[in-house]
């Protein structure tokens, strides 16, 4: 998942540092391990002019009340900001000293810190590190997105690396029955557990055990990932009526005992221990507490209720705790998408709220293997025709109507940046991101081939953007959308996989009110005649007509997605 310093340095030797200065290792005290310290230096995210790095130092010597780690660069790298350490730099030499709150470093203990830095040319990794003047060995383990080194829990770094991913036979059959659908019917998609009844199967359909049994049959002698969406919080989807759930706002105990506990019991069955089970936790829940509460124009009474009673946070924490305790389960917490929490007001507060949820109800940050963005959404993976740093006639792209002061223009840049933010608030430095690319291809004849005209910042952005939605807030059954990148492991720095977590062809919500026993309401954002609200800039909804209830098969949408696939089918 990351680029890691791999050289092993001999302890108790003169070692030439990156700056060319010889550093003498100090002999260990009697009874102390011969390797005085180890350093794990991981470049988590790198772009043309900068990078983000996480460093973990383990002290194998005597306990310390303060510490300082030093290294030198061979190139022109410059540290620009850091966290969990006081970082200074003179020329190529860098010193990271403890903060007031993390100076104690026990024998055998570790401390982690991170930083952002700039560079040009090449970004060579440092070769020598010292802890209080003592040369450290450097952890071996070549990195790169998708490494599979095990962590102490027995989980692999990236569950998707080197593994097949479960093809849901029910979805596959529906896709194959569509004209041209055989081209994608073998792709892996998520299995949605969106109500209590889904655990045992609805209307004769496959339940959780049936899916896991089918996954074992597909697995053979290979590694196999099964993707589950765990999605039934009390007061679910407080800002989107189309996917309202069956549980009322106060039914947290029912959520725990009748939904999470039975799922955990099945996943913990030793029969399924050889599967890598990826659980994506409670789509769209926590971001609603950031953006749709309080005095904001987008606030709803239902979201205010869920913020006040704490049941989103409690439910997510409980799910992370119970499922994270299972050795072969990998929890990925939903993190919205760039068009939701990419703004300054939402970005850092979201990471803080996720940390709160991940440390509630007995959960710890260790129960979070990563995060998923763009689930069931349409944000373009990568906008190539403009960047957030562009300007037209002196006006920044951020000021365009489409970007509207967001700091991100696409999902990949957002996911990588948000990963760094999550690490900065205390999530493990090894977390990885998933991006749902099931409906963000935006291909077909409407796909721009270059930047827009530079007559204004709006013509420049609108003429060049791949995402052809009327407004970035539109989320329901979008006209013109296409299948995106096919599912694949470790496609970019910090990204564990591109996934199709939302099965293409399953509706986001009905175009008009439909009576049902699934607890699903009618949201005008799924009505193609709707003229909008504060969450989509009072724009037309852009939704396809004649859509069924959320989760039900929508043939017209599936055909639209295939027609506009990018890469093309």
């Amino acid at each position: 998942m990351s680029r890691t310093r791999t050289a092993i340095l001999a302890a108790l030797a003169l070692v030439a540092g990156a700056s060319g200065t010889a550093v003498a290792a100090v002999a260990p005290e009697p009874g102390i391990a011969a390797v005085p310290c180890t350093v794990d230096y991981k470049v988590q995210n790198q772009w043309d002019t900068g990078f983000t790095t996480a460093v973990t130092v383990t002290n194998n010597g005597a306990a310390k009340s303060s510490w300082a780690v030093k290294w030198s660069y061979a190139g022109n790298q410059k540290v620009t900001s850091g966290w969990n350490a006081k970082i200074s730099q003179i020329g190529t030499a860098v010193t990271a000293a403890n903060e007031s709150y993390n100076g104690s470093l026990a024998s055998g203990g570790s401390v982690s810190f991170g930083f952002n830095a700039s560079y040009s040319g090449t970004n060579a990794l440092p070769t020598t590190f010292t802890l209080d003047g003592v040369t450290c060995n450097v952890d071996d383990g070549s990195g790169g997105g998708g490494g599979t080194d095990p962590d102490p829990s027995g989980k692999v770094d990236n569950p998707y690396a080197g593994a097949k991913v479960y093809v849901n036979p029910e979805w596959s059959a529906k896709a194959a029955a569509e004209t041209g659908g055989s081209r994608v019917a073998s792709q892996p998609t998520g299995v949605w557990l969106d109500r209590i009844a889904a655990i045992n199967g609805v209307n004769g359909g496959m339940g959780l055990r049936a899916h896991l049994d089918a996954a074992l049959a597909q697995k053979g002698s290979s590694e196999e990932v099964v993707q589950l969406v765990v999605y039934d919080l009390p007061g679910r989807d407080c800002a989107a009526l189309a996917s309202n759930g069956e549980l009322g706002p106060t039914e947290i105990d029912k959520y725990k005992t009748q939904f999470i506990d039975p799922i955990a019991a099945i996943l913990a069955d030793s029969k399924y221990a050889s599967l890598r089970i990826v659980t994506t936790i409670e789509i769209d829940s926590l971001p609603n507490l950031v953006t749709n509460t309080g005095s904001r124009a987008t606030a709803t009474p239902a979201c205010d209720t869920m913020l006040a009673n704490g049941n989103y946070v409690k439910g997510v924490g409980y799910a992370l705790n119970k499922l994270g305790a299972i050795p072969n389960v990998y929890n990925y917490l939903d993190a919205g998408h760039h068009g939701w929490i990419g703004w300054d007001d939402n970005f850092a507060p979201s990471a803080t709220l996720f940390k709160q949820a991940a440390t509630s109800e007995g959960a710890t940050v260790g129960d979070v293997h990563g995060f998923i963005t763009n689930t069931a959404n349409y944000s373009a993976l990568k906008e190539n025709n403009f960047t957030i740093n562009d300007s037209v006639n002196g006006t920044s792209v951020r000021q365009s109507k489409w970007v509207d002061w967001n700091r991100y223009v696409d999902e990949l840049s957002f996911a990588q940046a948000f990963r760094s933010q999550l690490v900065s608030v205390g999530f493990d430095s090894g977390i990885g991101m998933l991006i749902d690319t099931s409906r963000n291809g935006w291909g077909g004849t409407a796909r721009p081939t270059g930047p827009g005209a530079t007559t204004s910042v709006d013509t420049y952005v609108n003429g060049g953007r791949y995402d052809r939605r009327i407004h970035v807030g539109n989320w329901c059954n979008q006209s013109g959308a296409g299948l995106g990148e096919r599912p694949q492991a470790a496609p970019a720095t910090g990204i564990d996989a591109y996934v199709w977590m939302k099965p293409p062809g399953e509706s986001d919500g009905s175009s008009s009110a439909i009576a049902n026993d699934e607890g699903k309401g009618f949201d005008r954002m799924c009505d193609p005649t709707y003229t909008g609200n504060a969450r989509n800039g009072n724009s037309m909804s852009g939704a396809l007509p004649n859509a069924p209830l959320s989760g039900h098969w929508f043939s017209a949408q599936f055909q639209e997605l295939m027609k506009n696939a990018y890469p093309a089918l």
Side-chain angles (χ1 to χ4, degrees):
M1 257 171 15
S2 49
R3 188 163 162 262
T4 307
R5 177 65 252 162
T6 60
I8 291 292
L9 305 175
L12 311 178
L14 284 173
V15 183
S19 62
T21 303
V23 180
V26 178
E29 298 176 10
I32 300 299
V35 179
C37 46
T38 60
V39 174
D40 185 14
Y41 176 103
K42 292 184 178 180
V43 176
Q44 299 175 309
N45 187 17
Q46 181 169 312
W47 55 99
D48 291 342
T49 59
F51 61 99
T52 300
T53 295
V55 181
T56 299
V57 182
T58 301
N59 171 38
N60 294 321
K64 299 174 181 292
S65 59
S66 63
W67 52 266
V69 179
K70 296 184 179 182
W71 68 91
S72 293
Y73 286 117
N76 60 0
Q77 297 95 327
K78 297 290 183 183
V79 175
T80 56
S81 62
W83 47 91
N84 293 338
K86 297 174 182 175
I87 303 178
S88 58
Q89 182 171 0
I90 300 176
T92 61
V94 181
T95 298
N98 63 275
E99 295 280 7
S100 60
Y101 54 81
N102 63 357
S104 296
L105 187 53
S107 179
S110 297
V111 65
S112 297
F113 58 91
F115 60 90
N116 294 317
S118 63
Y119 80 103
S120 61
T122 59
N123 181 22
L125 296 168
T127 58
T128 302
F129 294 83
T130 64
L131 174 62
D132 295 338
V134 178
T135 301
C136 299
N137 283 4
V138 181
D139 282 352
D140 193 18
S142 60
T148 57
D149 296 333
D151 70 12
S153 70
K155 293 180 170 68
V156 297
D157 182 39
N158 180 358
Y160 289 86
K164 300 187 297 184
V165 187
Y166 174 59
V167 177
N168 180 347
E170 292 184 312
W171 176 84
S172 182
K174 292 175 183 176
E178 293 280 345
T179 302
S182 60
R183 295 174 293 176
V184 296
S186 61
Q187 292 291 347
T189 55
V191 174
W192 285 58
L193 302 174
D194 60 356
R195 46 185 161 147
I196 293 168
I199 299 171
N200 292 321
V202 179
N203 298 326
M206 295 172 69
L208 178 55
R209 282 193 179 275
H211 282 295
L212 296 175
D213 289 340
L216 286 175
Q218 289 183 20
K219 177 182 183 298
S221 60
S222 303
E223 298 290 348
E224 174 107 352
V225 171
V226 179
Q227 302 176 126
L228 306 177
V229 178
V230 178
Y231 182 50
D232 199 26
L233 274 178
R236 190 181 72 192
D237 266 17
C238 57
L241 302 176
S243 46
N244 283 165
E246 63 187 345
L247 301 179
T250 63
E251 293 187 285
I252 185 67
D253 290 338
K254 189 174 182 180
Y255 174 79
K256 293 177 178 180
T257 61
Q258 297 187 33
F259 185 64
I260 295 300
D261 287 354
I263 292 173
I266 293 171
L267 300 187
D269 189 331
S270 60
K271 178 181 182 181
Y272 306 120
S274 64
L275 297 171
R276 298 177 182 178
I277 302 171
V278 166
T279 52
T280 53
I281 306 297
E282 295 300 348
I283 309 307
D284 292 352
S285 60
L286 297 177
N288 274 316
L289 301 186
V290 175
T291 64
N292 297 325
T293 55
S295 60
R296 297 197 183 207
T298 54
T300 70
C303 289
D304 283 331
T305 294
M306 300 318 299
L307 177 64
N309 69 23
N311 283 341
Y312 276 8
V313 168
K314 294 173 187 175
V316 167
Y318 189 84
L320 291 172
N321 179 22
K322 291 296 183 179
L323 301 177
I326 303 168
N328 58 317
V329 169
Y330 299 79
N331 288 324
Y332 288 80
L333 185 54
D334 184 74
H337 53 84
H338 94 275
W340 191 351
I341 58 176
W343 280 271
D344 293 343
D345 289 349
N346 305 339
F347 192 79
S350 294
T352 300
L353 179 64
F354 297 163
K355 172 74 175 299
Q356 178 189 350
T359 52
S360 68
E361 299 292 306
T364 71
V365 293
D367 292 316
V368 180
H369 201 76
F371 290 77
I372 183 169
T373 75
N374 206 44
T375 310
N377 207 262
Y378 298 86
S379 296
L381 180 65
K382 184 73 175 73
E383 292 283 8
N384 293 319
N385 293 327
F386 62 97
T387 76
I388 198 67
N389 298 316
D390 293 349
S391 61
V392 176
N393 301 324
T395 303
S396 167
V397 158
R398 290 192 69 203
Q399 294 173 258
S400 66
K401 185 177 179 181
W402 173 255
V403 177
D404 190 28
W405 296 103
N406 200 318
R407 290 216 178 261
Y408 305 95
V409 300
D410 54 35
E411 209 58 28
L412 180 57
S413 63
F414 165 74
Q416 291 173 323
F418 195 57
R419 180 186 181 282
S420 297
Q421 181 67 28
L422 291 160
V423 171
S424 77
V425 301
F427 283 98
D428 187 84
S429 61
I431 59 171
M433 307 296 285
L434 306 178
I435 301 177
D436 189 347
T437 58
S438 60
R439 305 185 301 177
N440 70 348
W442 295 105
T445 58
R447 185 179 178 88
T449 57
T454 56
T455 50
S456 71
V457 72
D458 285 324
T459 57
Y460 175 70
V461 170
N462 288 333
R465 60 182 170 93
Y466 299 139
D467 188 336
R468 304 313 299 172
R469 284 179 292 178
I470 299 168
H471 188 277
V472 72
N474 287 356
W475 54 266
C476 194
N477 300 327
Q478 290 299 285
S479 175
L483 300 169
E485 289 284 347
R486 312 306 179 252
Q488 55 189 282
T493 301
I495 310 299
D496 280 354
Y498 295 152
V499 298
W500 283 7
M501 201 60 68
K502 172 71 173 183
E506 291 190 1
S507 173
D508 294 321
S510 59
S511 301
S512 58
I514 299 176
N516 67 92
D517 61 359
E518 301 176 30
K520 295 172 181 175
F522 167 55
D523 196 305
R524 288 295 306 279
M525 286 296 290
C526 301
D527 176 359
T529 69
Y530 185 46
T531 56
N533 55 42
R535 285 186 288 282
N536 81 330
N538 296 298
S539 304
M540 297 297 291
S541 70
L544 291 168
N546 304 315
L549 289 172
S550 63
H552 290 227
W553 190 255
F554 188 10
S555 176
Q557 184 207 51
F558 187 72
Q559 291 295 332
E560 182 97 339
L561 293 173
M562 289 194 298
K563 179 180 70 174
N564 297 316
Y566 190 89
L569 296 177

